[in-house]
Amino acid sequence: MSVNRIDEILRLDRLIEKLDPSGQPRIEITFAPYETLPERLGVLSSSFNPITNAHLSMALNARSEFSLGGVMFLLTKVNVDKELFGATLTDRILMLHLVARMFDRIWVGISSHGRFIDKVKAFRARYPHLHLFFIVGYDTLVRIFDPKYYEDPDREIEELFNEAEFIAFNRGLKTVEDVIQFMEHPSRSKFADKVHAVEIPEDLAYISSTYARERIASGDLDSYSIPDEIKGFLERTELYTDSPAYELRKELVGYLKSVYSTPPEGVKGDVDVAVKLMAVNSHIGKRLKEIIRSGAMPLQPRRRKVEGESIVGDFDLTCPPIDEEDALKETRRCLYCPSAPCKEGCPLRVSVNRILSLIAEGEIMEAYLTLRSDNPLFGITSFLCQDELYCGGSCFLGRLMGQGCSIRSREIFKFLWRWGGENSDKIPPPFRMNMYPKPIKVAVVGSGPAGMAAAWRLAERGFTVTVFEKENHPGGIPYWETPRFRFPAEQVIDNLVRQLGRMGVEFKLGIRIGREGEITLNELLDEGYSWIFLATGLTVAKKLGIPGEEESGVISSKELFRMERDLGREEMIRRFRGKRVIVTEGGNTAMDTARTLLRYGARPTVVYWRERPRSLKKEYEAAKAEGVQFMFLTKPVQIKRDQGRIVMKAVKMKEGEEPLPGSDFEIQADAVINAIGAIPDFRDEDLIVDERGFVRVEPGNLTTS
Ligand code: SF4
């Protein structure tokens, strides 16, 4: 793993933070070449600011001369004598990792306490079997006998030498003979057999971290004093030099810590690239510095569930629109990249960078109109778009410093949607061209997002548009099948329908088009519609394909959400409270379904055949945090009814999609919700559909047969 990876840096940072120098002594291993520590372990404890070739030589010599199973470089969080300066503890560990990776049987760890007696206690508490050999230089050996480091010197020094042996090296002017003489003193001679004097070459004995820092500061990175493995790191970070780059790196890490409240997994942003950008006196460098100094993002979802708080009946939005102040703060984090990768990442090519810069300049009306012109349905997408796959996933800041740092454009668009609602009397109506001398009628079949977007664009261009909808309310899936905690369907859809009405679009509700409906496509053409736009969507739930799925109590997510529309939330709570419900599949719909069931008071368990869900990670985490249970690597194979309850037979799956022989078992439940997805179901006599039910169209112009 790269030492510049943000996730690795933050992981180490948190680990160090957790070590408490005033609590019980504790050691954390940060790098381990093997799972278990060797029985005979050498421990070289130092401040490693930075690690030098003297450290390395002492470790390797001790390992071979005393047949040690391995050596641990042990950093201490609090050094008994020194204030922390130079490299951060995290960077010292990263440098140690670089060296440890290149040599066999080297571990790296960090201790909460600086005194040797405390380190021994920490090792004993966690690894009682170890035979410890502390690897020290002459100066450290002298300090070990200094009574000022002990509360009860005689007892504690005795205890220390009972628990560990010492391999002591010549350092500076002090030779191996000095080590031996030091131990011959009557006050220490009883410990002499526990101290082994060993020699390293004289030139190495003179190298200290202070000397190494001086060489680095003078630009001598080729110096013999530091291991080759850390030279690249020193070059990139400009550590121990006069350059401001290292301070920027520290600021950046501080900022990232405030952004990522838990260490992010797999965040590939590269700290040093960001620092390099800042160090260059460019527009982006300056902006990055401003962003970092202005602190973390203000945008967090509304806190939903604290310990013990019931979620039943709480259908409020989990991420309501932010206010103007937060929207401004967030837009000011934007770099307004001229190349606008966010715009490129948006399938609708929304001018994200321009809209954000307009808001930052206080031109909110202009920002609103630009967004509406780029994407008339932004009310829907600002609540429902999977932005991490599009603008958020492409954001330069996110690519530089991890997804968590991406500009949350979707939240800003949500603010604009709310602002539009509050200022509707001031907003000019959508533009409509009147370019045709006599009306050209277009029928749009279906009033979901595709139908409404088509109706808007057609009306803008002067067509006379009628939208046919088989339901008694427009809106398609966002209106009928989206959880209320995610999307304020009534406000968004009704507002959109009002705006379309102002553009002359007519809605005909409760009219089913097609072979089994009130009117066929040919009849529509006969009625004078020149064009028909089919936007009928995915209307039928897919089947699980297992015996028993027709049993009562087995329904689809679609049916569940529609039931809520028909019966109301109170009735859903009455029906589901306390019920055990199995939700099959592991996508976003399954997470929405399970979270909705929690709000009805049910006890949902998501059963999914893979090892992990295929939903967005944040959706899975939100579901888990709210109390949804999960059974992974579990595949339903049969459903039956037994004494009024549902019994689902399932098998455990091996990773790689095979059922484990003989692993079948039964799960009892009150209901099963199939959240596997949906397929189209539109039939008309003259249309050709493929085997999945999709209407066949010409690839070039998307016209039907
Ligand atoms: S890529 Fe990110 S930082 Fe750059 S303009 Fe777009 S939203 Fe702003």
Side-chain angles (χ1 to χ4, degrees):
M1 181 170 288
S2 160
V3 289
N4 308 315
R5 282 273 300 261
I6 286 163
D7 51 356
E8 179 65 353
I9 293 173
L10 296 189
R11 184 187 72 81
L12 288 171
D13 233 60
R14 298 261 192 263
L15 189 129
I16 295 168
E17 247 169 38
K18 278 194 202 148
L19 290 172
D20 177 9
S22 56
Q24 286 296 316
R26 188 175 169 80
I27 281 168
E28 289 290 349
I29 295 176
T30 60
F31 178 85
Y34 302 102
E35 233 170 73
T36 48
L37 283 171
E39 210 175 302
R40 287 169 68 81
L41 180 72
V43 178
L44 174 46
S45 185
S46 174
S47 50
F48 298 111
N49 187 24
I51 179 171
T52 65
N53 277 329
H55 291 127
L56 189 55
S57 169
M58 284 159 65
L60 299 179
N61 269 297
R63 195 181 69 187
S64 67
E65 287 211 18
F66 291 84
S67 306
L68 303 177
V71 171
M72 181 184 290
F73 290 136
L74 185 67
L75 187 64
T76 51
K77 178 163 180 175
V78 180
N79 197 307
V80 280
D81 283 327
K82 298 175 196 164
E83 283 290 308
L84 189 70
F85 66 96
T88 62
L89 292 175
T90 304
D91 284 342
R92 294 182 203 190
I93 291 181
L94 288 171
M95 286 190 274
L96 291 172
H97 286 187
L98 285 171
V99 176
R101 261 186 223 124
M102 299 311 291
F103 295 88
D104 191 27
R105 290 178 288 132
I106 302 274
W107 276 254
V108 179
I110 179 161
S111 156
S112 56
H113 289 59
R115 300 187 317 155
F116 276 81
I117 183 67
D118 292 327
K119 290 172 199 165
V120 160
K121 284 178 187 161
F123 272 113
R124 285 284 163 256
R126 224 161 160 188
Y127 312 102
H129 66 286
L130 292 183
H131 187 164
L132 289 172
F133 293 82
F134 282 107
I135 301 164
V136 295
Y138 176 87
D139 40 353
T140 306
L141 184 66
V142 172
R143 279 203 302 277
I144 285 171
F145 285 96
D146 189 334
K148 78 174 182 189
Y149 296 118
Y150 301 92
E151 285 155 20
D152 181 352
D154 290 345
R155 185 184 57 75
E156 286 179 309
I157 292 173
E158 186 89 32
E159 189 185 339
L160 178 60
F161 280 86
N162 277 341
E163 295 287 346
E165 297 188 41
F166 289 79
I167 302 170
F169 285 86
N170 51 318
R171 299 289 284 139
L173 291 170
K174 298 295 181 183
T175 62
V176 165
E177 286 68 39
D178 290 323
V179 172
I180 295 165
Q181 267 179 24
F182 178 75
M183 290 310 298
E184 280 170 353
H185 188 276
S187 66
R188 296 181 281 270
S189 58
K190 62 176 172 174
F191 305 118
D193 61 331
K194 291 285 187 92
V195 177
H196 315 282
V198 184
E199 189 160 26
I200 50 169
E202 200 181 337
D203 48 352
L204 279 173
Y206 275 96
I207 294 173
S208 65
S209 291
T210 311
Y211 173 77
R213 287 196 301 274
E214 283 166 9
R215 302 304 314 152
I216 297 163
S218 68
D220 182 11
L221 260 180
D222 290 328
S223 146
Y224 174 58
S225 58
I226 46 170
D228 287 344
E229 290 74 20
I230 66 166
K231 285 177 183 164
F233 181 88
L234 294 170
E235 230 162 38
R236 276 197 308 276
T237 57
E238 300 182 41
L239 177 57
Y240 307 125
T241 70
D242 289 342
S243 153
Y246 192 68
E247 283 308 307
L248 290 175
R249 179 185 166 96
K250 287 201 284 190
E251 276 186 47
L252 175 60
V253 171
Y255 170 77
L256 293 168
K257 267 166 69 179
S258 62
V259 171
Y260 295 107
S261 51
T262 51
E265 259 176 54
V267 172
K268 296 190 183 69
D270 187 327
V271 168
D272 291 333
V273 174
V275 171
K276 275 277 161 317
L277 270 171
M278 286 191 279
V280 178
N281 190 16
S282 67
H283 164 70
I284 286 186
K286 274 193 203 151
R287 288 284 303 123
L288 269 176
K289 279 186 225 170
E290 282 164 23
I291 290 164
I292 288 163
R293 280 159 199 168
S294 69
M297 277 178 297
L299 307 174
Q300 296 297 333
R302 181 170 79 86
R303 188 166 170 72
R304 279 222 70 86
K305 191 168 183 251
V306 289
E307 200 84 25
E309 182 194 350
S310 170
I311 205 169
V312 180
D314 182 355
F315 292 89
D316 288 352
L317 288 172
T318 47
C319 287
I322 53 173
D323 61 21
E324 188 165 338
E325 195 186 328
D326 278 351
L328 272 171
K329 264 195 211 165
E330 185 62 355
T331 52
R332 286 183 185 138
R333 287 198 319 117
C334 176
L335 295 165
Y336 318 121
C337 313
S339 59
C342 45
K343 181 177 177 179
E344 288 303 305
C346 171
L348 296 173
R349 298 288 184 271
V350 169
S351 314
V352 181
N353 55 340
R354 176 167 154 68
I355 293 165
L356 266 51
S357 72
L358 283 168
I359 295 175
E361 287 160 18
E363 300 287 345
I364 295 178
M365 175 68 83
E366 191 58 28
Y368 178 93
L369 294 176
T370 308
L371 179 55
R372 189 180 69 179
S373 151
D374 284 357
N375 173 18
L377 268 58
F378 73 92
I380 295 178
T381 51
S382 65
F383 285 94
L384 299 180
C385 178
Q386 296 179 4
D387 55 334
E388 44 280 85
L389 303 180
Y390 304 115
C391 59
S394 317
C395 174
F396 178 70
L397 264 183
R399 295 204 326 242
L400 195 60
M401 302 196 279
Q403 178 85 175
C405 290
S406 294
I407 298 294
R408 310 268 293 270
S409 331
R410 199 185 80 165
E411 300 302 324
I412 296 166
F413 297 163
K414 221 186 264 178
F415 151 72
L416 281 179
W417 170 79
R418 185 168 87 175
W419 183 91
E422 289 162 359
N423 295 277
S424 55
D425 51 329
K426 300 182 199 120
I427 297 172
F431 176 72
R432 181 183 157 87
M433 273 188 260
N434 280 319
M435 55 195 280
Y436 302 107
K438 58 179 190 165
I440 300 178
K441 284 170 62 178
V442 180
V444 172
V445 182
S447 68
M452 288 208 268
W456 186 292
R457 293 302 189 204
L458 287 162
E460 263 180 347
R461 284 161 179 75
F463 292 94
T464 303
V465 184
T466 306
V467 178
F468 292 89
E469 170 56 56
K470 67 180 165 61
E471 303 290 349
N472 59 16
H473 195 286
I477 287 176
Y479 179 82
W480 290 97
E481 297 170 23
T482 307
R484 310 293 177 87
F485 63 81
R486 183 180 293 290
F487 181 57
E490 279 77 7
Q491 290 109 297
V492 176
I493 300 294
D494 293 353
N495 181 303
L496 205 46
V497 170
R498 261 196 309 278
Q499 292 196 59
L500 284 164
R502 271 191 234 132
M503 296 169 82
V505 175
E506 187 188 0
F507 282 82
K508 290 196 171 175
L509 304 177
I511 296 183
R512 186 182 292 263
I513 309 288
R515 197 165 52 199
E516 281 140 27
E518 282 74 32
I519 183 166
T520 65
L521 295 176
N522 274 330
E523 285 164 347
L524 276 181
L525 293 173
D526 291 344
E527 283 194 8
Y529 289 98
S530 305
W531 299 94
I532 301 171
F533 182 81
L534 290 178
T536 47
L538 307 175
T539 48
V540 177
K542 276 197 228 164
K543 294 281 179 200
L544 284 170
I546 59 173
E549 67 178 309
E550 308 303 336
E551 289 285 357
S552 68
V554 183
I555 58 170
S556 67
S557 297
K558 278 181 171 294
E559 287 166 299
L560 182 84
F561 289 122
R562 273 162 191 262
M563 258 169 89
E564 184 188 308
R565 281 269 170 220
D566 292 341
L567 303 175
R569 294 175 198 165
E570 291 308 313
E571 178 59 20
M572 295 303 273
I573 293 172
R574 201 188 64 72
R575 289 187 181 197
F576 279 94
R577 192 188 273 275
K579 297 283 193 291
R580 175 149 197 220
V581 184
I582 294 169
V583 179
T584 62
E585 263 292 304
N588 291 328
T589 307
M591 302 305 144
D592 276 354
T593 305
R595 292 175 73 189
T596 301
L597 286 163
L598 281 179
R599 286 158 176 80
Y600 299 155
R603 294 176 292 129
T605 302
V606 171
V607 172
Y608 187 47
W609 59 276
R610 286 194 170 137
E611 202 187 359
R612 56 182 70 89
R614 65 179 173 81
S615 66
L616 289 177
K617 191 167 161 243
K618 69 171 186 186
E619 300 301 338
Y620 165 59
E621 279 170 0
K624 216 165 54 163
E626 286 183 351
V628 174
Q629 302 294 309
F630 289 87
M631 287 174 86
F632 292 118
L633 291 173
T634 304
K635 185 171 189 170
V637 289
Q638 191 190 13
I639 298 170
K640 57 186 182 186
R641 275 216 160 256
D642 187 16
Q643 297 177 2
R645 291 205 85 191
I646 285 179
V647 180
M648 175 183 269
K649 197 166 154 194
V651 286
K652 295 306 278 181
M653 301 292 285
K654 262 197 267 179
E655 211 181 317
E657 310 184 7
E658 267 179 63
L660 274 171
S663 66
D664 51 315
F665 67 107
E666 291 184 343
I667 316 168
Q668 297 230 341
D670 298 294
V672 173
I673 315 279
N674 160 18
I676 200 168
I679 49 172
D681 182 33
F682 183 71
R683 302 271 188 271
D684 196 273
E685 53 260 42
D686 294 322
L687 286 183
I688 300 174
V689 293
D690 67 16
E691 60 289 348
R692 295 170 307 149
F694 287 91
V695 175
R696 276 198 202 280
V697 291
E698 291 296 322
N701 57 17
L702 303 183
T703 54
T704 59
S705 47

